[in-house]
Amino acid sequence: LKPDLRSGPFSADDDQAIRDAVAAAESAGHAVAWAELGRTIGRSGPSVRKRYMTTLKPDLRSGPFSADDDQAI
């Protein structure tokens, strides 16, 4: 265990830092350095990546399937 890493819920500031870092990396044409970003906000790289991919990603959809989704399935 690493005592310098926080656990528990992400704060709004954490979420905004993740969004900003991902946007900056994408606009520069670079891959996101998840481990470096995690160190910046005091979290592990995998937990930061998971937070982005499952909660913060802009094109992430939630809710019921659309008619197009049902047709594709």
Side-chain angles (χ1 to χ4, degrees):
L1 296 176
K2 297 182 179 182
D4 56 328
L5 296 180
R6 290 183 291 131
S7 62
F10 281 76
S11 69
D13 290 338
D14 292 340
D15 288 347
Q16 192 58 50
I18 294 168
R19 284 188 192 103
D20 292 345
V22 170
E26 288 177 349
S27 68
H30 299 290
V32 178
W34 296 110
E36 182 178 327
L37 176 54
R39 282 191 297 274
T40 302
I41 64 172
R43 304 280 186 158
S44 71
S47 70
V48 171
R49 181 184 181 281
K50 182 178 178 184
R51 175 70 174 181
Y52 180 75
M53 295 300 216
T54 63
T55 306
L56 302 175
K57 194 172 180 178
D59 60 349
L60 186 66
R61 293 182 355 191
S62 62
F65 288 113
S66 68
D68 290 339
D69 294 333
D70 288 336
Q71 282 294 337
I73 294 172

